[in-house]
Amino acid sequence: MSSGLTSMDFIAILPELVLTIAVIGVLLLECFSKQSRIMTIHLFSMASILVAFVLLLTMVPSGLENQYFWNSEIVVNSTNGQLKSAMLLVVLLGLIYSFPKLSESNLNHSEYYILILLSTIGMLVLVSANTLLMVYLGLELMSLPMYALVAFNRKDGKATEAAMKYFVMGAMASAILLFGMGLLYGVGQSLNLETIGKAMVALASQNFDQNILILTFSLVFIVVGIAFKLGAAPFHSWVPDVYEGAPAPVAMFIGAAPKIAAISMAYSLLKVAGYEVTLQWQQMLAIVAVLSFIIGNFVALRQTNLRRMLGYSAVSHAGFMLLGLFAGNDTGIPSAAYFYAITYAFTTTAAFGFILLVNKDGQSIQNISDLKGFGRQHGYLGVLMALIMLSMGGIPPFVGFFAKLFVLQNAYNASYGFLVIIGLLASVVGLFYYLRVIKVMFFDQQDDNANISITNCIGSRTIFSVNVFLIVLLGLVPTLIM
């Protein structure tokens, strides 16, 4: 294999290079721009993400064939391009939503944008990774800034506690995942994921029982790491704490785009490298999915805090994402899992966008009861939030319904009919707490002492409307991203 690099190697990572230059640019702006510094940094960060997004749209290959760069360290194809484009768009929406609330909370510092950009670079690297080394590099580059972001409001005790839990558990999950990767490398004798997959086929034919046992043992650790990064049960305890304790813009970021990167990592490690032991990891994921359905939905029923309820519902949604890995299209790509992750990211961004727009006593709403009578007083925003809840609950014709339908079809085609039944029952249970939000907004009497206000930012309101319109549009025309 040649070690020389060509211009095409650098063209292939232009979006990542743009964001890297943006990080340096934000640091320089922090040093030299004193007048309107934060607004300049905010606009510069959004412009950088937009440039990377446009570059991706122009660079995405039209065919399904893989293109390899940097000595096969990264892979570029149309699927990866779509995932990266979706992540950048979600991050861009999040930055637009975040600015007013960060300014109100006196948290609008340059470090926020640096950490967001660094984590976004990690996501892009993780999606393009074609070796174990690049997978871990992208994963840590994505995760480490998120630990700091959770604790960004140092004066908030809940944020500090959530950050400590997230960091300690994240470090453990990364170590467990790395150990599983080490075993995978030991079996495959290569860092390249596709080479490992081919080596597994050869090893299985030589000494099936012994080699399959080693491979299965390694995948146990890998599944644990994947489940943690997705927030699936029983490795989910950080999710509700982070959703509730972190600043709302940070919770929005962590709950959306990283899910897409995590499901891409799961595909790389399980379906590419671990194809020969598909039955074994499917059985592991089935257990994780069932636990996620049960714990996520039933605990969410008891929540009164809106963000904490969204956190536990995210656990249930993680179970659906994992089910999407059970089968793929004609090329083996888990299109249902990707579709679910992308649509969930946009829906979660919209839900937190609502939380950032609506204030009670000058602070973001916390409890579901804070929304009593909101739909009658602010009908337009109330209807948009109701559409978000209906989509999350899987009600047709919204995109959440088609996302769950495609995933359950995959599980059925993979002969996991019992998971389809459990998934359907879980969706019915989940409908209760989503419909409860709608009921509180439109049918409960507003408290006389409630001081509800809407953030006075036309840009955020407009983007919120566009965000919800996109969710409705994808429900009517799901083939736009399938």
Side-chain angles (χ1 to χ4, degrees), residues 147-313:
Y147 302 146
L149 282 169
V150 175
F152 200 70
N153 187 1
R154 291 174 294 178
K155 297 179 182 179
D156 188 343
K158 281 188 176 181
T160 304
E161 180 184 352
M164 287 301 297
K165 288 181 179 178
Y166 189 26
F167 174 71
V168 171
M169 295 187 66
M172 291 177 59
S174 294
I176 291 170
L177 181 65
L178 187 61
F179 183 70
M181 288 182 178
L183 291 174
L184 205 59
Y185 169 76
V187 174
Q189 295 295 304
S190 174
L191 292 173
N192 188 283
L193 295 172
E194 294 179 359
T195 304
I196 292 173
K198 293 175 182 177
M200 284 186 174
V201 176
L203 288 171
S205 61
Q206 296 171 8
N207 190 344
F208 185 84
D209 292 335
Q210 181 179 350
N211 290 318
I212 290 298
L213 181 62
I214 298 173
L215 295 176
T216 304
F217 188 64
S218 69
L219 288 175
V220 169
F221 295 96
I222 290 174
V223 167
V224 169
I226 291 171
F228 176 86
K229 297 305 177 183
L230 276 174
F235 314 101
H236 67 285
S237 58
W238 63 273
V239 178
D241 290 335
V242 168
Y243 273 52
E244 179 186 11
V250 174
M252 171 197 288
F253 176 76
I254 292 176
K259 304 288 187 183
I260 304 175
I263 205 68
S264 176
M265 177 185 71
Y267 166 73
S268 299
L269 294 176
L270 298 179
K271 299 207 74 170
V272 177
Y275 179 78
E276 188 62 27
V277 285
T278 297
L279 179 61
Q280 284 78 3
W281 62 253
Q282 280 186 346
Q283 292 172 345
M284 299 178 203
L285 291 189
I287 297 172
V288 173
V290 170
L291 290 175
S292 298
F293 292 152
I294 296 173
I295 295 175
N297 283 302
F298 282 97
V299 179
L301 288 174
R302 301 179 57 85
Q303 302 305 310
T304 57
N305 183 285
L306 180 59
R307 287 165 62 177
R308 200 167 183 86
M309 182 271 283
L310 289 175
Y312 278 107
S313 74

Side-chain angles (χ1 to χ4, degrees), residues 28-357:
L28 293 175
L29 286 171
E30 170 71 14
C31 294
F32 299 113
S33 176
K34 300 300 181 184
Q35 300 295 328
S36 303
R37 181 180 58 195
I38 291 301
M39 176 58 77
T40 303
I41 290 174
H42 175 72
L43 294 175
F44 178 73
S45 300
M46 289 199 304
S48 302
I49 293 175
L50 187 59
V51 169
F53 176 74
V54 173
L55 283 172
L56 268 173
L57 292 182
T58 59
M59 292 168 51
V60 173
S62 57
L64 295 174
E65 293 185 1
N66 293 334
Q67 299 177 12
Y68 302 96
F69 301 95
W70 292 85
N71 295 322
S72 296
E73 290 288 335
I74 67 171
V75 58
V76 176
N77 53 46
S78 59
T79 302
N80 288 356
Q82 291 171 357
L83 295 177
K84 289 168 142 186
S85 300
M87 289 190 299
L88 288 176
L89 189 55
V90 168
V91 173
L92 182 62
L93 289 173
L95 286 181
I96 297 173
Y97 283 129
S98 301
F99 187 79
K101 182 57 64 178
L102 289 171
S103 300
E104 291 174 10
S105 307
N106 197 27
L107 293 174
N108 213 351
H109 306 300
S110 61
E111 291 85 351
Y112 175 81
Y113 298 95
I114 293 171
L115 293 170
I116 290 289
L117 290 171
L118 286 173
S119 186
T120 304
I121 295 170
M123 290 184 235
L124 298 181
V125 171
L126 184 56
V127 171
S128 297
N130 192 48
T131 65
L132 294 174
L133 180 63
M134 292 302 292
V135 167
Y136 196 74
L137 177 65
L139 178 65
E140 291 306 295
L141 185 55
M142 176 185 77
S143 300
L144 290 175
M146 292 198 295
Y147 302 146
L149 282 169
V150 175
F152 200 70
N153 187 1
R154 291 174 294 178
K155 297 179 182 179
D156 188 343
K158 281 188 176 181
T160 304
E161 180 184 352
M164 287 301 297
K165 288 181 179 178
Y166 189 26
F167 174 71
V168 171
M169 295 187 66
M172 291 177 59
S174 294
I176 291 170
L177 181 65
L178 187 61
F179 183 70
M181 288 182 178
L183 291 174
L184 205 59
Y185 169 76
V187 174
Q189 295 295 304
S190 174
L191 292 173
N192 188 283
L193 295 172
E194 294 179 359
T195 304
I196 292 173
K198 293 175 182 177
M200 284 186 174
V201 176
L203 288 171
S205 61
Q206 296 171 8
N207 190 344
F208 185 84
D209 292 335
Q210 181 179 350
N211 290 318
I212 290 298
L213 181 62
I214 298 173
L215 295 176
T216 304
F217 188 64
S218 69
L219 288 175
V220 169
F221 295 96
I222 290 174
V223 167
V224 169
I226 291 171
F228 176 86
K229 297 305 177 183
L230 276 174
F235 314 101
H236 67 285
S237 58
W238 63 273
V239 178
D241 290 335
V242 168
Y243 273 52
E244 179 186 11
V250 174
M252 171 197 288
F253 176 76
I254 292 176
K259 304 288 187 183
I260 304 175
I263 205 68
S264 176
M265 177 185 71
Y267 166 73
S268 299
L269 294 176
L270 298 179
K271 299 207 74 170
V272 177
Y275 179 78
E276 188 62 27
V277 285
T278 297
L279 179 61
Q280 284 78 3
W281 62 253
Q282 280 186 346
Q283 292 172 345
M284 299 178 203
L285 291 189
I287 297 172
V288 173
V290 170
L291 290 175
S292 298
F293 292 152
I294 296 173
I295 295 175
N297 283 302
F298 282 97
V299 179
L301 288 174
R302 301 179 57 85
Q303 302 305 310
T304 57
N305 183 285
L306 180 59
R307 287 165 62 177
R308 200 167 183 86
M309 182 271 283
L310 289 175
Y312 278 107
S313 74
V315 176
S316 174
H317 287 291
F320 278 102
M321 291 181 209
L322 292 174
L323 281 191
L325 293 171
F326 278 46
N329 56 22
D330 295 337
T331 60
I333 296 173
S335 55
Y338 288 164
F339 182 81
Y340 200 105
I342 291 172
T343 55
Y344 173 76
F346 281 109
T347 309
T348 298
T349 301
F352 273 98
F354 177 83
I355 292 173
L356 290 170
L357 282 174

